[in-house]
Amino acid sequence: MNIMTWKRNLIEEIEAAAERRTQEIFADAGEERRAIQSQETLLGLAAALRAMPDDEAHLAALFTEEAEMAAVDGGAPGEAEHRFHEAKEDLLRLIGFEQEPFATADAFLDAVRGRADEIIAEYRLVAAVPA
């Protein structure tokens, strides 16, 4: 996958999380205001990423991390990528609720990259330990 396709997929994930906020607005009137703010934050984040050049350093670094994750040993094929996808979804779900909105798109990319680094390090550790 090239970086342009990957970037489009990341933006679509964020927009899907914003769409889920619409459903939450109608499901829980008590959280309506926070859900709306979260939705607006997610849509703003998607727009900021869309405006970024494909070779922007933070974006390219996360792209590289995700590509590296596919080559990580220590688990079942695709396991690390699946865990990373879940970690990213959890982060998106928490934005505006338990996670303060990120000040910039770069800060968001760094946070996601931190989760990727943790998962890669964990799988490398598992692979390095003799069975």
Side-chain angles (χ1 to χ4, degrees), residues 7-8 11 18 27 29 31 35 44 109:
K7 179 181 167 184
R8 186 175 55 247
I11 291 166
E31 293 292 322
L109 293 169

Side-chain angles (χ1 to χ4, degrees), residues 13 79-93 115 119:
E13 284 182 78
E79 182 179 332
E81 292 122 314
H82 177 73
R83 286 200 42 222
F84 175 67
H85 177 74
E86 287 181 348
K88 191 170 24 171
E89 287 293 315
D90 287 344
L91 178 63
L92 291 171
R93 188 175 24 261
R115 283 167 174 71
I119 291 169

